[in-house]
Amino acid sequence: MKKSAKIYVAGHRGLIGSALVRALKDRGYKNLLTRPHQALDLTHQNKVDRFFEREKPEYVFLAAARVGGIRANDTYPAEFIYQNQMIQANVLHSASNHGARKLLFFSSSCIYPKKSRQPMKEEYLMTGPMEPTNEAYGAAKMAGLVMCQSYRRQYGANFISVIPANVYGIHDHFDENGHVLAALIAKFHEARVKKKKQVTVWGTGKPRREFFYVDDLADAALFLMENYDRAEPINVGTGQETSIRVLAEKVKEAVGFEGEIVYDTNRPDGNPRRLLDSSRIRAMGWRPGTSLERGLELTCRWYAETILKKSVKP
Ligand code: GDP
C-alpha cells in the first residue's frame, strides 16, 4: 500500500477499527476514508453502493460489525445475524463492483466448531456445530468468509479473511453486553469505587480464552494487507490461553479491588476452549508484541481515564 493510497476503514469508531486508524496514521498513511454510522448506515445497500461509487477506495478494512459478549449474542441473535450479514454483503459487493484493489474482512474465532481440537487450525472450520450462544454471529462471520472466497473465485477479487482470537483493548464496550475482559474491568472498578464486598463473575470460571490486544491485531492486519493474498482464512492470536478464573484474578489485581470473587454458574460458559493455531502467520514472520499483563494495564488505565471518570460515582 502506498502512503497516499485511499484506504477505507469501515467501523473506524469500534474497538478494531479505531486501532486500525491509529496504526495507519502512525505509519504515515495520509488518505484514510471513514464515515460515522450516522452518515453512512452500512446495512443500506443503496447508500453503501453510492458511497463506493463516489469514493472508490483502493483498500478496504471491513471492521464494521454488530459485536458483543456472550450475553448480547444470546439476547439479540436476530440483530446479530441480520446486521452482520447486511453490512458485509453490502461492503464486499460494492468493493468488488467499484474496483477496490484489496479488502480485508475480520471474521471471528467463534466460527470454529464448539468441540474443535485445540489449538484450532484453519482446516478445522466446518467440521462440527458451533457453540449455540454465538451461532447467529458465527454463522454471519462464516458467511462473510465464504463470500470473500466466492468473490475471489468468480470475479478475481483480492479479498482476504482474518480470524482473530478474543480481542480486547481501549475503545471496547465496557458494560454487561461487552466481552469478558472489558466487562470485568468495569465490574471491578465499580465495586472498588462503591466499596462493594463481592464481584460476580459469570459461569464456572473454567472456560479458557486467548486474549489478544487490539493494537497487535491492527499490526497483524496491516501486515496481512501487505503480505497475504490467498483465499484461505488466516488465524491471528497470541498462542496463549487464560482461564476466566485466572483472568478475573488478574483484573482484580490490576484494578486494586480487595473484596471476593463469586461465580454465578446459572450464567453460560459458552465455548469451553478457543485457542487458535497461528502458526501460518508466525511462519510469515509476524509476532504479537503485547503481553496480557501489559494489555490489561493499558486497557484499565484508558477505562479509568475516559469512562470511569464520567460514569461511576462513589
Ligand atoms: P465469548 O468469548 O464469545 O464466550 O464471550 P465473552 O467474552 O462474553 O465470555 C467469555 C467467558 O467469560 C464466558 O465463559 C463467560 O461466561 C465468562 N464471563 C464471566 N464473567 C463475565 C462477564 O461479566 N461478562 C462477560 N461477557 N462474560 C463473562
Side-chain angles (χ1 to χ4, degrees), residues 217-250:
L217 174 59
D219 185 58
L222 264 59
F223 175 82
L224 292 169
M225 196 57 127
E226 299 277 19
N227 298 298
Y228 188 74
D229 287 318
R230 299 174 61 119
E232 299 81 45
I234 184 159
N235 288 338
V236 190
T238 63
Q240 282 171 7
E241 284 184 296
T242 307
S243 72
I244 300 304
R245 192 172 288 269
V246 168
L247 177 76
E249 294 294 342
K250 283 185 191 289

mmCIF file of all heavy atoms in Angstrom, residues 217-250:
data_model
loop_
_atom_site.group_PDB
_atom_site.id
_atom_site.type_symbol
_atom_site.label_atom_id
_atom_site.label_comp_id
_atom_site.label_asym_id
_atom_site.label_seq_id
_atom_site.Cartn_x
_atom_site.Cartn_y
_atom_site.Cartn_z
ATOM 1 N N LEU A 217 -3.582 -6.824 16.865
ATOM 2 C CA LEU A 217 -4.418 -7.248 15.731
ATOM 3 C C LEU A 217 -4.298 -6.245 14.573
ATOM 4 O O LEU A 217 -4.185 -6.637 13.413
ATOM 5 C CB LEU A 217 -5.896 -7.395 16.141
ATOM 6 C CG LEU A 217 -6.844 -7.684 14.966
ATOM 7 C CD1 LEU A 217 -6.473 -8.966 14.225
ATOM 8 C CD2 LEU A 217 -8.289 -7.750 15.428
ATOM 9 N N ALA A 218 -4.305 -4.951 14.894
ATOM 10 C CA ALA A 218 -4.181 -3.942 13.836
ATOM 11 C C ALA A 218 -2.835 -4.109 13.116
ATOM 12 O O ALA A 218 -2.767 -4.032 11.877
ATOM 13 C CB ALA A 218 -4.306 -2.539 14.431
ATOM 14 N N ASP A 219 -1.802 -4.383 13.885
ATOM 15 C CA ASP A 219 -0.475 -4.590 13.312
ATOM 16 C C ASP A 219 -0.495 -5.810 12.371
ATOM 17 O O ASP A 219 0.021 -5.753 11.248
ATOM 18 C CB ASP A 219 0.509 -4.805 14.475
ATOM 19 C CG ASP A 219 1.927 -4.918 14.002
ATOM 20 O OD1 ASP A 219 2.403 -3.973 13.349
ATOM 21 O OD2 ASP A 219 2.570 -5.965 14.271
ATOM 22 N N ALA A 220 -1.138 -6.886 12.831
ATOM 23 C CA ALA A 220 -1.231 -8.098 12.005
ATOM 24 C C ALA A 220 -2.045 -7.824 10.740
ATOM 25 O O ALA A 220 -1.705 -8.300 9.654
ATOM 26 C CB ALA A 220 -1.883 -9.226 12.803
ATOM 27 N N ALA A 221 -3.113 -7.042 10.872
ATOM 28 C CA ALA A 221 -3.974 -6.761 9.712
ATOM 29 C C ALA A 221 -3.196 -5.971 8.651
ATOM 30 O O ALA A 221 -3.307 -6.253 7.448
ATOM 31 C CB ALA A 221 -5.219 -5.996 10.153
ATOM 32 N N LEU A 222 -2.409 -5.006 9.073
ATOM 33 C CA LEU A 222 -1.594 -4.246 8.107
ATOM 34 C C LEU A 222 -0.558 -5.158 7.450
ATOM 35 O O LEU A 222 -0.323 -5.084 6.240
ATOM 36 C CB LEU A 222 -0.895 -3.068 8.801
ATOM 37 C CG LEU A 222 -1.626 -1.739 8.698
ATOM 38 C CD1 LEU A 222 -3.006 -1.766 9.280
ATOM 39 C CD2 LEU A 222 -0.815 -0.636 9.345
ATOM 40 N N PHE A 223 0.017 -6.034 8.261
ATOM 41 C CA PHE A 223 0.997 -6.996 7.750
ATOM 42 C C PHE A 223 0.354 -7.894 6.684
ATOM 43 O O PHE A 223 0.919 -8.125 5.615
ATOM 44 C CB PHE A 223 1.530 -7.824 8.930
ATOM 45 C CG PHE A 223 2.461 -8.926 8.532
ATOM 46 C CD1 PHE A 223 3.808 -8.661 8.298
ATOM 47 C CD2 PHE A 223 2.012 -10.233 8.403
ATOM 48 C CE1 PHE A 223 4.676 -9.686 7.923
ATOM 49 C CE2 PHE A 223 2.860 -11.257 8.029
ATOM 50 C CZ PHE A 223 4.198 -10.986 7.787
ATOM 51 N N LEU A 224 -0.867 -8.356 6.962
ATOM 52 C CA LEU A 224 -1.541 -9.251 6.012
ATOM 53 C C LEU A 224 -1.997 -8.501 4.763
ATOM 54 O O LEU A 224 -1.970 -9.049 3.655
ATOM 55 C CB LEU A 224 -2.721 -9.953 6.697
ATOM 56 C CG LEU A 224 -2.300 -10.953 7.781
ATOM 57 C CD1 LEU A 224 -3.506 -11.405 8.601
ATOM 58 C CD2 LEU A 224 -1.577 -12.168 7.185
ATOM 59 N N MET A 225 -2.422 -7.259 4.940
ATOM 60 C CA MET A 225 -2.808 -6.457 3.775
ATOM 61 C C MET A 225 -1.615 -6.343 2.823
ATOM 62 O O MET A 225 -1.769 -6.361 1.603
ATOM 63 C CB MET A 225 -3.275 -5.085 4.265
ATOM 64 C CG MET A 225 -4.055 -4.265 3.297
ATOM 65 S SD MET A 225 -5.540 -5.069 2.655
ATOM 66 C CE MET A 225 -6.818 -3.892 2.957
ATOM 67 N N GLU A 226 -0.422 -6.267 3.379
ATOM 68 C CA GLU A 226 0.788 -6.150 2.544
ATOM 69 C C GLU A 226 1.278 -7.493 2.020
ATOM 70 O O GLU A 226 1.871 -7.558 0.956
ATOM 71 C CB GLU A 226 1.944 -5.541 3.373
ATOM 72 C CG GLU A 226 1.687 -4.149 3.899
ATOM 73 C CD GLU A 226 1.987 -3.058 2.882
ATOM 74 O OE1 GLU A 226 2.050 -3.341 1.677
ATOM 75 O OE2 GLU A 226 2.138 -1.902 3.319
ATOM 76 N N ASN A 227 1.067 -8.564 2.798
ATOM 77 C CA ASN A 227 1.792 -9.804 2.511
ATOM 78 C C ASN A 227 0.966 -11.058 2.262
ATOM 79 O O ASN A 227 1.530 -12.126 2.068
ATOM 80 C CB ASN A 227 2.734 -10.126 3.690
ATOM 81 C CG ASN A 227 3.771 -9.060 3.897
ATOM 82 O OD1 ASN A 227 4.589 -8.820 3.022
ATOM 83 N ND2 ASN A 227 3.721 -8.396 5.032
ATOM 84 N N TYR A 228 -0.357 -10.967 2.332
ATOM 85 C CA TYR A 228 -1.146 -12.197 2.218
ATOM 86 C C TYR A 228 -2.222 -12.036 1.153
ATOM 87 O O TYR A 228 -3.032 -11.107 1.235
ATOM 88 C CB TYR A 228 -1.784 -12.516 3.577
ATOM 89 C CG TYR A 228 -2.463 -13.862 3.633
ATOM 90 C CD1 TYR A 228 -1.720 -15.038 3.693
ATOM 91 C CD2 TYR A 228 -3.852 -13.953 3.617
ATOM 92 C CE1 TYR A 228 -2.345 -16.276 3.737
ATOM 93 C CE2 TYR A 228 -4.481 -15.191 3.655
ATOM 94 C CZ TYR A 228 -3.729 -16.345 3.719
ATOM 95 O OH TYR A 228 -4.339 -17.565 3.768
ATOM 96 N N ASP A 229 -2.235 -12.921 0.178
ATOM 97 C CA ASP A 229 -3.181 -12.791 -0.948
ATOM 98 C C ASP A 229 -3.897 -14.092 -1.249
ATOM 99 O O ASP A 229 -4.142 -14.407 -2.412
ATOM 100 C CB ASP A 229 -2.417 -12.365 -2.220
ATOM 101 C CG ASP A 229 -1.970 -10.913 -2.154
ATOM 102 O OD1 ASP A 229 -2.755 -10.070 -1.712
ATOM 103 O OD2 ASP A 229 -0.817 -10.645 -2.537
ATOM 104 N N ARG A 230 -4.256 -14.852 -0.250
ATOM 105 C CA ARG A 230 -4.826 -16.174 -0.528
ATOM 106 C C ARG A 230 -6.284 -16.277 -0.107
ATOM 107 O O ARG A 230 -6.763 -15.518 0.737
ATOM 108 C CB ARG A 230 -4.002 -17.237 0.195
ATOM 109 C CG ARG A 230 -2.546 -17.257 -0.270
ATOM 110 C CD ARG A 230 -1.780 -18.211 0.571
ATOM 111 N NE ARG A 230 -2.356 -19.535 0.419
ATOM 112 C CZ ARG A 230 -1.723 -20.582 -0.053
ATOM 113 N NH1 ARG A 230 -0.476 -20.465 -0.438
ATOM 114 N NH2 ARG A 230 -2.312 -21.756 -0.133
ATOM 115 N N ALA A 231 -6.956 -17.260 -0.676
ATOM 116 C CA ALA A 231 -8.378 -17.481 -0.371
ATOM 117 C C ALA A 231 -8.582 -18.033 1.036
ATOM 118 O O ALA A 231 -9.591 -17.738 1.682
ATOM 119 C CB ALA A 231 -8.971 -18.460 -1.379
ATOM 120 N N GLU A 232 -7.636 -18.847 1.523
ATOM 121 C CA GLU A 232 -7.825 -19.475 2.835
ATOM 122 C C GLU A 232 -7.782 -18.411 3.923
ATOM 123 O O GLU A 232 -6.913 -17.536 3.899
ATOM 124 C CB GLU A 232 -6.712 -20.491 3.142
ATOM 125 C CG GLU A 232 -6.609 -21.653 2.189
ATOM 126 C CD GLU A 232 -5.852 -21.289 0.931
ATOM 127 O OE1 GLU A 232 -4.791 -20.649 1.029
ATOM 128 O OE2 GLU A 232 -6.350 -21.623 -0.171
ATOM 129 N N PRO A 233 -8.699 -18.511 4.908
ATOM 130 C CA PRO A 233 -8.631 -17.564 6.022
ATOM 131 C C PRO A 233 -7.358 -17.814 6.826
ATOM 132 O O PRO A 233 -6.780 -18.898 6.742
ATOM 133 C CB PRO A 233 -9.865 -17.924 6.858
ATOM 134 C CG PRO A 233 -10.140 -19.357 6.526
ATOM 135 C CD PRO A 233 -9.738 -19.533 5.090
ATOM 136 N N ILE A 234 -6.954 -16.812 7.600
ATOM 137 C CA ILE A 234 -5.725 -16.986 8.383
ATOM 138 C C ILE A 234 -5.967 -16.579 9.841
ATOM 139 O O ILE A 234 -6.531 -15.522 10.117
ATOM 140 C CB ILE A 234 -4.541 -16.243 7.705
ATOM 141 C CG1 ILE A 234 -3.230 -16.506 8.461
ATOM 142 C CG2 ILE A 234 -4.796 -14.745 7.550
ATOM 143 C CD1 ILE A 234 -1.979 -16.254 7.599
ATOM 144 N N ASN A 235 -5.574 -17.468 10.758
ATOM 145 C CA ASN A 235 -5.722 -17.223 12.202
ATOM 146 C C ASN A 235 -4.702 -16.211 12.692
ATOM 147 O O ASN A 235 -3.548 -16.217 12.239
ATOM 148 C CB ASN A 235 -5.440 -18.506 12.987
ATOM 149 C CG ASN A 235 -6.531 -19.549 12.845
ATOM 150 O OD1 ASN A 235 -7.660 -19.228 12.511
ATOM 151 N ND2 ASN A 235 -6.190 -20.798 13.123
ATOM 152 N N VAL A 236 -5.113 -15.394 13.664
ATOM 153 C CA VAL A 236 -4.166 -14.478 14.302
ATOM 154 C C VAL A 236 -4.445 -14.423 15.797
ATOM 155 O O VAL A 236 -5.534 -14.035 16.228
ATOM 156 C CB VAL A 236 -4.282 -13.034 13.771
ATOM 157 C CG1 VAL A 236 -3.117 -12.214 14.280
ATOM 158 C CG2 VAL A 236 -4.307 -12.985 12.282
ATOM 159 N N GLY A 237 -3.437 -14.789 16.582
ATOM 160 C CA GLY A 237 -3.583 -14.725 18.040
ATOM 161 C C GLY A 237 -2.226 -14.772 18.710
ATOM 162 O O GLY A 237 -1.189 -14.616 18.059
ATOM 163 N N THR A 238 -2.256 -14.999 20.019
ATOM 164 C CA THR A 238 -1.021 -14.994 20.802
ATOM 165 C C THR A 238 -0.479 -16.396 21.026
ATOM 166 O O THR A 238 0.666 -16.569 21.412
ATOM 167 C CB THR A 238 -1.290 -14.408 22.205
ATOM 168 O OG1 THR A 238 -2.230 -15.277 22.865
ATOM 169 C CG2 THR A 238 -1.869 -13.013 22.122
ATOM 170 N N GLY A 239 -1.367 -17.404 20.887
ATOM 171 C CA GLY A 239 -0.963 -18.777 21.181
ATOM 172 C C GLY A 239 -1.055 -19.110 22.662
ATOM 173 O O GLY A 239 -0.677 -20.201 23.080
ATOM 174 N N GLN A 240 -1.565 -18.162 23.469
ATOM 175 C CA GLN A 240 -1.638 -18.421 24.909
ATOM 176 C C GLN A 240 -3.066 -18.345 25.428
ATOM 177 O O GLN A 240 -3.808 -17.434 25.077
ATOM 178 C CB GLN A 240 -0.783 -17.402 25.650
ATOM 179 C CG GLN A 240 0.653 -17.820 25.515
ATOM 180 C CD GLN A 240 1.645 -16.821 25.992
ATOM 181 O OE1 GLN A 240 1.273 -15.804 26.564
ATOM 182 N NE2 GLN A 240 2.884 -17.116 25.747
ATOM 183 N N GLU A 241 -3.389 -19.301 26.280
ATOM 184 C CA GLU A 241 -4.748 -19.358 26.843
ATOM 185 C C GLU A 241 -4.744 -18.941 28.299
ATOM 186 O O GLU A 241 -3.779 -19.212 29.024
ATOM 187 C CB GLU A 241 -5.226 -20.804 26.869
ATOM 188 C CG GLU A 241 -5.641 -21.381 25.589
ATOM 189 C CD GLU A 241 -6.180 -22.784 25.835
ATOM 190 O OE1 GLU A 241 -5.421 -23.667 26.280
ATOM 191 O OE2 GLU A 241 -7.367 -22.991 25.593
ATOM 192 N N THR A 242 -5.861 -18.349 28.716
ATOM 193 C CA THR A 242 -6.030 -17.961 30.122
ATOM 194 C C THR A 242 -7.440 -18.364 30.528
ATOM 195 O O THR A 242 -8.390 -18.102 29.783
ATOM 196 C CB THR A 242 -5.887 -16.425 30.264
ATOM 197 O OG1 THR A 242 -4.645 -16.039 29.659
ATOM 198 C CG2 THR A 242 -5.908 -15.978 31.708
ATOM 199 N N SER A 243 -7.596 -18.962 31.700
ATOM 200 C CA SER A 243 -8.949 -19.298 32.142
ATOM 201 C C SER A 243 -9.638 -18.028 32.636
ATOM 202 O O SER A 243 -8.980 -17.051 33.019
ATOM 203 C CB SER A 243 -8.911 -20.345 33.254
ATOM 204 O OG SER A 243 -8.439 -19.746 34.440
ATOM 205 N N ILE A 244 -10.971 -18.062 32.641
ATOM 206 C CA ILE A 244 -11.723 -16.898 33.124
ATOM 207 C C ILE A 244 -11.386 -16.657 34.603
ATOM 208 O O ILE A 244 -11.283 -15.508 35.054
ATOM 209 C CB ILE A 244 -13.245 -17.121 32.913
ATOM 210 C CG1 ILE A 244 -13.554 -17.332 31.418
ATOM 211 C CG2 ILE A 244 -14.056 -15.961 33.498
ATOM 212 C CD1 ILE A 244 -13.100 -16.251 30.461
ATOM 213 N N ARG A 245 -11.176 -17.735 35.339
ATOM 214 C CA ARG A 245 -10.809 -17.602 36.757
ATOM 215 C C ARG A 245 -9.487 -16.823 36.922
ATOM 216 O O ARG A 245 -9.405 -15.887 37.708
ATOM 217 C CB ARG A 245 -10.673 -19.011 37.358
ATOM 218 C CG ARG A 245 -10.584 -19.072 38.856
ATOM 219 C CD ARG A 245 -10.658 -20.522 39.308
ATOM 220 N NE ARG A 245 -11.998 -21.067 39.159
ATOM 221 C CZ ARG A 245 -12.928 -21.042 40.111
ATOM 222 N NH1 ARG A 245 -12.650 -20.520 41.289
ATOM 223 N NH2 ARG A 245 -14.124 -21.545 39.897
ATOM 224 N N VAL A 246 -8.498 -17.208 36.150
ATOM 225 C CA VAL A 246 -7.198 -16.517 36.237
ATOM 226 C C VAL A 246 -7.346 -15.071 35.744
ATOM 227 O O VAL A 246 -6.796 -14.138 36.343
ATOM 228 C CB VAL A 246 -6.114 -17.293 35.440
ATOM 229 C CG1 VAL A 246 -4.856 -16.467 35.269
ATOM 230 C CG2 VAL A 246 -5.814 -18.618 36.131
ATOM 231 N N LEU A 247 -8.122 -14.891 34.681
ATOM 232 C CA LEU A 247 -8.344 -13.529 34.180
ATOM 233 C C LEU A 247 -8.979 -12.661 35.274
ATOM 234 O O LEU A 247 -8.542 -11.523 35.508
ATOM 235 C CB LEU A 247 -9.261 -13.554 32.952
ATOM 236 C CG LEU A 247 -9.601 -12.144 32.431
ATOM 237 C CD1 LEU A 247 -8.418 -11.539 31.679
ATOM 238 C CD2 LEU A 247 -10.834 -12.166 31.533
ATOM 239 N N ALA A 248 -10.004 -13.211 35.939
ATOM 240 C CA ALA A 248 -10.697 -12.444 36.980
ATOM 241 C C ALA A 248 -9.712 -12.024 38.082
ATOM 242 O O ALA A 248 -9.740 -10.876 38.550
ATOM 243 C CB ALA A 248 -11.845 -13.264 37.559
ATOM 244 N N GLU A 249 -8.810 -12.931 38.463
ATOM 245 C CA GLU A 249 -7.801 -12.588 39.486
ATOM 246 C C GLU A 249 -6.880 -11.471 38.988
ATOM 247 O O GLU A 249 -6.536 -10.554 39.730
ATOM 248 C CB GLU A 249 -6.947 -13.821 39.837
ATOM 249 C CG GLU A 249 -7.700 -14.953 40.527
ATOM 250 C CD GLU A 249 -8.217 -14.594 41.924
ATOM 251 O OE1 GLU A 249 -7.713 -13.607 42.512
ATOM 252 O OE2 GLU A 249 -9.146 -15.272 42.400
ATOM 253 N N LYS A 250 -6.501 -11.559 37.736
ATOM 254 C CA LYS A 250 -5.596 -10.542 37.169
ATOM 255 C C LYS A 250 -6.280 -9.179 37.108
ATOM 256 O O LYS A 250 -5.667 -8.151 37.381
ATOM 257 C CB LYS A 250 -5.143 -10.937 35.755
ATOM 258 C CG LYS A 250 -4.077 -12.016 35.712
ATOM 259 C CD LYS A 250 -3.622 -12.219 34.260
ATOM 260 C CE LYS A 250 -2.768 -13.441 34.068
ATOM 261 N NZ LYS A 250 -1.419 -13.356 34.629
#
